[in-house]
Amino acid sequence: MGETGALGSVGSSDLALAIAGFCGACLAVEVFVDILGEIGVENLPVEVLYSFTWVGTGWESLLLVVFLLDDFHFGNVTVVLLLFGGFAVVVDCEVFVDGARRWVQAPSHGSYRQDSREFRNLTFLVSLDLGSNNFNGNLPQEMTLLRQLKFLDLSFNSFSGKVPSWFGFLHQLQVLNLGNNSFTGSIPSSFSNISTFETLNLNFNSIEGQIPKVIGNIRVLKLRGNNLIESIPLSLSNASRIEFIAFTGNSLSGSLPNGLCNGLPILKGLYLSDNKFHGRMPASLSNCSQLQLLSLSVNEFDGPIHSEIGRLSNLQKLAVGTYHFTGIIPQEIGNLANLTELWMEGNQITGSVPISIFNISSLQLLSLWKNNLSGFLPREIGNLTKMQHVEISGNKLIGEIPKEISNLIELEVLNLGFNSFSGSLDTEIFNISRLRIIEFSLNNLSGSLPPNMCSILPNIEQLFLGNLTNLVGTIPHSISNCSKLIKLELSGNKLTGLIPNSLGYLTHLQFLNLGENNFTSDSSLSFLTSLTNCRNLTDLYLPFNPLNGMLPDSTGNLSISLRNFYAGNCKIKGRIPNEVGNLSSLLDLDLPGNYLVGSIPTSIGNLRSLQQFNLNNNKLTGFIGDHICKLQHLGDIYLDQNQLSGYLPNCLGNITSLSEIHLD
């Protein structure tokens, strides 16, 4: 359909005539001419020869193939016409210069004021996409002149004001996307006047009021992240053409209509999570036979999960977490042969984990944490070879962790913590190379850290093995090969030996907890110096280890992001180095129960974010200086059981956040 021709000298008037010749009366030529004039064709760094191509009809863009002379190579420039609020704007151009792609942003003066007659000249316009820009203000009523408009996307801007009722005059409109703006008010009833209307997206605005009782022939209704209230109207169950409903993140309440699914034969997605719904899950949900996505999480539902849920044979995602659901997991869940995600966390579900779940070969995510499940974890879990994410923590499961878990070669997250699993910490469990997160804390497990742990777990990012019954041995020096490690939790065990300096090679490390073990160190606590290489470290916990050393000056070179430093009851000797004052992000400095001597360094006054300061039960001497008054966020001060003298500074009374001072 496109025609092409060469233009000679590129003056605005010549360009106007040329465009008119190619386009005829199909668009408002003067708009493009004036925009190109505003950009300043004459201001381009080289003389330019344009050949013009009109792409299709009824669109808001022109493709200009630009031949740049001199030292520039030719490239493509797309001039995008955005007709909005009475303005025509060239947003950007994509240019290839010397083989490299460059984006040229239109200058602020590249706007052309036009009146509503220009909208009248665009009655051909069928599709208008202004998404992901920086537009703001109210929508102009002149947009009602775009009577042929079928597709309108204004998402990801900063539009405000009420959603206009005049959208009801756009009788050809099929898709309206106003998501991620700042619209207010209620949903206009006039939307029901648009017989062609198929998709309405008002996600993440500030829409209030109720869901309209009449929604017409709509297929997709997205109202996530607003302030909608009251219950779902029963009339919604008569919207027989609807395929997707998303009401997540509102303040909807009441119980779900018993007949909700009786008239929704092609509904594929139902998102009702994060509201205030209560009552029982209707057994009639199973009548939505085409349902693929069902999310009811974070509400106030109670009662059992009905066995009828097993009739939803097309279901791919089921989320019924963070409720007050009781009873058992129905065996019929195993009939959901297409299920990929099962979320049932944070309920009061009892009984055992049904073996039927492990017949769902498509399952990729299983989340059952924080329930009251008991019994053994079936060995059949090894059948789920597509599984990527298992979370069953916070239950009452017993017995050994099945070795068959090692069959789950796609597994990335394994969270079995806070149960009563027993037996050995089998190395076969670790032999899954894709694992990123392992959480086994607070179980009755025994064993040691495998010396080759990091070679069989090359992708490990978070390792939680805290408070096991009998974790012994040392931290292998090869820990440095776990180069992606972000969090390491080993507290409350029986680990011994020197804290290895190789921890300093974990440059992504953010969280390290070695507390309540029997770790030692050399007299200069050189592992602290090695940790200065961990520039992302935010939390360092070392309490109740017999370290028997002195804090090195390099302590002050720990990560500038360090927020919590706990080293209480570690037999640390000597002075607190002045360099500690460099840790400007510190929220909690906790060094009680050591053998620290000397005075409190004045550099403590540099820790302007400090909220808790605990030096009790040491051998500190000297005065409590005024520098402590610079800590305007302090909540608690523990300086008791020392040998401090003098008076409390009067300026402490100016710290309004201060709640406790311990000096006895």
Side-chain angles (χ1 to χ4, degrees):
M1 180 175 291
E3 297 181 69
T4 307
L7 302 180
S9 178
V10 280
S12 293
S13 59
D14 294 329
L15 188 57
L17 293 174
I19 296 178
F22 287 111
C23 296
C26 68
L27 73 162
V29 174
E30 65 273 17
V31 174
F32 290 98
V33 175
D34 285 328
I35 292 172
L36 292 171
E38 287 290 327
I39 290 179
V41 173
E42 68 278 7
N43 293 326
L44 289 174
V46 291
E47 186 177 1
V48 179
L49 178 67
Y50 289 87
S51 93
F52 174 80
T53 304
W54 172 243
V55 182
T57 59
W59 292 88
E60 67 279 13
S61 64
L62 294 176
L63 181 63
L64 299 180
V65 180
V66 180
F67 294 87
L68 301 175
L69 306 181
D70 268 350
D71 297 328
F72 294 91
H73 298 162
F74 74 92
N76 292 333
V77 174
T78 302
V79 180
V80 183
L81 175 66
L82 303 179
L83 290 167
F84 195 77
F87 285 87
V89 185
V90 176
V91 175
D92 51 42
C93 303
E94 184 184 17
V95 186
F96 284 86
V97 180
D98 290 332
R101 177 176 292 174
R102 307 287 174 86
W103 285 94
V104 181
Q105 196 71 28
S108 59
H109 62 267
S111 299
Y112 176 68
R113 180 68 186 177
Q114 57 176 358
D115 57 35
S116 61
R117 290 175 298 177
E118 299 300 348
F119 281 105
R120 197 170 290 116
N121 289 333
L122 291 172
T123 55
F124 65 86
L125 197 63
V126 174
S127 178
L128 180 58
D129 185 347
L130 306 182
S132 301
N133 282 288
N134 294 311
F135 291 116
N136 54 48
N138 297 336
L139 302 182
Q141 190 165 354
E142 289 81 6
M143 293 187 74
T144 56
L145 299 171
L146 306 177
R147 295 300 177 91
Q148 301 300 314
L149 203 61
K150 293 182 179 180
F151 176 94
L152 178 59
D153 187 348
L154 305 177
S155 62
F156 292 94
N157 281 287
S158 299
F159 291 119
S160 57
K162 294 185 177 180
V163 178
S165 60
W166 48 252
F167 276 123
F169 294 118
L170 301 178
H171 295 296
Q172 304 299 315
L173 197 61
Q174 296 176 8
V175 176
L176 176 61
N177 187 350
L178 303 179
N180 297 83
N181 279 285
S182 299
F183 288 111
T184 58
S186 59
I187 301 171
S189 59
S190 59
F191 282 137
S192 62
N193 299 335
I194 311 173
S195 60
T196 58
F197 207 27
E198 294 187 350
T199 299
L200 174 61
N201 185 346
L202 289 172
N203 285 347
F204 303 108
N205 281 281
S206 298
I207 307 298
E208 301 172 340
Q210 300 173 257
I211 298 168
K213 290 182 171 58
V214 180
I215 60 170
N217 296 316
I218 204 161
R219 290 182 179 272
V220 176
L221 182 58
K222 297 182 178 182
L223 304 175
R224 296 175 59 194
N226 284 288
N227 302 313
L228 296 169
I229 58 172
E230 299 194 21
S231 59
I232 294 176
L234 185 58
S235 58
L236 186 64
S237 61
N238 298 322
S240 59
R241 297 179 73 243
I242 202 161
E243 298 181 20
F244 190 94
I245 296 172
F247 296 161
T248 299
N250 282 280
S251 296
L252 297 168
S253 57
S255 57
L256 298 185
N258 282 326
L260 180 62
C261 280
N262 292 347
L264 305 177
I266 59 173
L267 186 67
K268 295 181 173 65
L270 181 60
Y271 285 86
L272 302 178
S273 58
D274 197 11
N275 278 285
K276 299 177 182 178
F277 294 118
H278 57 78
R280 303 293 177 96
M281 178 194 293
S284 60
L285 283 176
S286 61
N287 293 333
C288 289
S289 59
Q290 300 302 308
L291 208 57
Q292 298 174 9
L293 307 164
L294 176 59
S295 179
L296 304 176
S297 296
V298 195
N299 278 283
E300 298 170 12
F301 292 117
D302 55 23
I305 297 171
H306 293 293
S307 59
E308 286 83 357
I309 203 79
R311 290 166 50 191
L312 296 173
S313 57
N314 293 301
L315 208 59
Q316 297 173 17
K317 176 180 177 180
L318 174 60
V320 289
T322 319
Y323 293 149
H324 305 290
F325 280 127
T326 56
I328 63 171
I329 300 174
Q331 289 282 347
E332 290 77 5
I333 289 285
N335 297 334
L336 305 178
N338 295 301
L339 201 66
T340 60
E341 297 182 19
L342 178 58
W343 303 79
M344 288 188 170
E345 71 283 351
N347 285 294
Q348 299 169 27
I349 297 172
T350 56
S352 60
V353 181
I355 293 178
S356 63
I357 285 181
F358 305 112
N359 295 327
I360 308 174
S361 59
S362 57
L363 204 59
Q364 298 175 18
L365 183 147
L366 178 62
S367 180
L368 302 175
W369 56 268
K370 202 176 180 182
N371 278 286
N372 291 311
L373 295 167
S374 56
F376 298 91
L377 183 61
R379 296 171 55 186
E380 286 77 4
I381 193 172
N383 298 336
L384 303 179
T385 54
K386 294 182 180 179
M387 186 67 78
Q388 298 175 15
H389 193 125
V390 174
E391 288 208 50
I392 315 182
S393 63
N395 285 285
K396 300 174 182 177
L397 297 176
I398 59 172
E400 294 188 353
I401 297 173
K403 296 179 180 179
E404 288 76 8
I405 284 180
S406 62
N407 296 338
L408 310 183
I409 58 174
E410 304 290 326
L411 197 63
E412 295 184 11
V413 177
L414 179 59
N415 186 348
L416 303 178
F418 298 82
N419 278 286
S420 297
F421 287 114
S422 56
S424 62
L425 200 61
D426 203 301
T427 55
E428 288 186 35
I429 298 171
F430 290 100
N431 197 18
I432 305 172
S433 63
R434 292 198 179 188
L435 270 172
R436 295 184 298 105
I437 300 174
I438 296 175
E439 165 63 283
F440 287 168
S441 297
L442 282 162
N443 278 289
N444 299 321
L445 298 171
S446 303
S448 58
L449 297 175
N452 62 339
M453 178 177 68
C454 295
S455 60
I456 57 179
L457 292 172
N459 295 300
I460 195 70
E461 296 174 6
Q462 300 181 32
L463 179 61
F464 298 91
L465 299 174
N467 291 281
L468 302 180
T469 297
N470 196 32
L471 183 64
V472 298
T474 62
I475 299 176
H477 286 279
S478 60
I479 191 76
S480 59
N481 295 326
C482 291
S483 60
K484 297 181 181 180
L485 204 61
I486 296 172
K487 295 184 179 182
L488 179 59
E489 164 64 83
L490 296 174
S491 67
N493 288 297
K494 299 176 182 177
L495 295 168
T496 57
L498 295 173
I499 298 176
N501 290 341
S502 55
L503 287 171
Y505 291 103
L506 304 177
T507 55
H508 298 288
L509 197 64
Q510 297 176 14
F511 176 97
L512 178 62
N513 190 351
L514 304 179
E516 299 179 69
N517 280 282
N518 288 304
F519 288 123
T520 57
S521 182
D522 52 39
S523 60
S524 61
L525 304 186
S526 60
F527 74 92
L528 284 175
T529 301
S530 71
L531 288 175
T532 61
N533 295 320
C534 305
R535 303 314 300 165
N536 299 303
L537 193 64
T538 59
D539 298 272
L540 178 58
Y541 299 95
L542 304 169
F544 295 97
N545 282 290
L547 298 181
N548 283 304
M550 298 176 63
L551 288 174
D553 292 347
S554 59
T555 304
N557 295 330
L558 290 168
S559 167
I560 195 69
S561 302
L562 193 67
R563 295 175 305 185
N564 295 296
F565 182 29
Y566 281 66
N569 297 281
C570 289
K571 300 184 178 180
I572 296 175
K573 299 171 284 189
R575 295 175 173 270
I576 301 172
N578 279 322
E579 288 77 6
V580 166
N582 297 336
L583 304 175
S584 57
S585 298
L586 210 58
L587 302 178
D588 200 336
L589 178 59
D590 195 272
L591 299 171
N594 285 295
Y595 305 130
L596 295 170
V597 298
S599 59
I600 299 171
T602 57
S603 63
I604 291 293
N606 297 333
L607 307 180
R608 301 300 175 88
S609 299
L610 203 64
Q611 297 175 7
Q612 180 170 289
F613 185 34
N614 190 348
L615 297 177
N616 88 300
N617 194 19
N618 278 283
K619 298 180 179 180
L620 297 170
T621 56
F623 300 97
I624 302 172
D626 289 350
H627 52 273
I628 202 170
C629 299
K630 297 177 181 178
L631 310 178
Q632 288 297 308
H633 298 285
L634 262 185
D636 304 304
I637 302 175
Y638 297 87
L639 298 175
D640 47 313
Q641 300 184 61
N642 279 285
Q643 299 169 24
L644 298 167
S645 56
Y647 300 94
L648 275 178
N650 291 330
C651 55
L652 281 176
N654 298 328
I655 304 178
T656 56
S657 58
L658 199 58
S659 60
E660 294 185 29
I661 302 176
H662 295 260
L663 295 173
D664 293 338

